[in-house]
Amino acid sequence: MQFILVSTTLMVLLTIGTGIFMIYKNVEGNRKTLKKILRTNLYVFLPILVAAIITLVPGAINAETTGSAAPSGLGFLAAALSTGLATVGAGYAVAVVGSSALGAVSEDSSILGKTLIFVGLAEGIAIYGLIVSILILGRL
């Protein structure tokens, strides 16, 4: 189990690293072909790595049971993913909305209040993820 996970991870990282190295060093072939090969490798090998992690890691994540009912390790993983992914999404949303708001305010300073509302809505995404993770942890 661990051999499959480690070998898949190494294969993914080496393939992506080789593609990036070939693009930056202009190794034989044009950049367009190398980028196409790298994109194909990303679309093929990253899902293989994710599938290997999803199928092989749950046995290692489960918490040891000392009593009759101990919380599942996958519940903790779900709570962490809900908060983490929501925070990454909120960060991206704030970056896009904030830069647009800054440009709009530089054109017309009277719309500052409206733009702050949009930035606040983008930040709310992280709060939703935190609430979901609290609900998940409450059920464990």
Side-chain angles (χ1 to χ4, degrees):
M1 174 174 88
Q2 292 174 348
F3 173 73
I4 295 172
L5 188 61
V6 170
S7 63
T8 305
T9 304
L10 285 175
M11 182 173 53
V12 169
L13 293 177
L14 285 174
T15 304
I16 293 170
T18 303
I20 292 171
F21 175 77
M22 290 175 72
I23 287 175
Y24 285 122
K25 294 296 182 181
N26 286 329
V27 176
E28 61 189 61
N30 61 15
R31 292 177 65 86
K32 192 172 186 178
T33 304
L34 291 173
K35 284 184 180 181
K36 187 185 292 185
I37 292 170
L38 180 61
R39 191 177 313 119
T40 303
N41 286 333
L42 285 171
Y43 290 148
V44 171
F45 289 125
L46 281 179
I48 290 172
L49 177 63
V50 170
I53 289 172
I54 288 173
T55 57
L56 299 176
V57 172
I61 291 178
N62 287 332
E64 281 194 40
T65 57
T66 56
S68 60
S72 173
L74 290 178
F76 293 123
L77 185 63
L81 283 175
S82 67
T83 301
L85 293 176
T87 305
V88 169
Y92 180 74
V94 168
V96 171
V97 172
S99 65
S100 299
L102 185 63
V105 169
S106 68
E107 295 280 332
D108 183 14
S109 62
S110 66
I111 61 171
L112 177 65
K114 293 177 186 176
T115 59
L116 287 177
I117 292 172
F118 289 121
V119 173
L121 287 172
E123 290 176 0
I125 297 170
I127 295 171
Y128 296 141
L130 181 64
I131 291 170
V132 168
S133 67
I134 289 171
L135 290 173
I136 290 171
L137 290 174
R139 295 204 51 155
L140 292 181

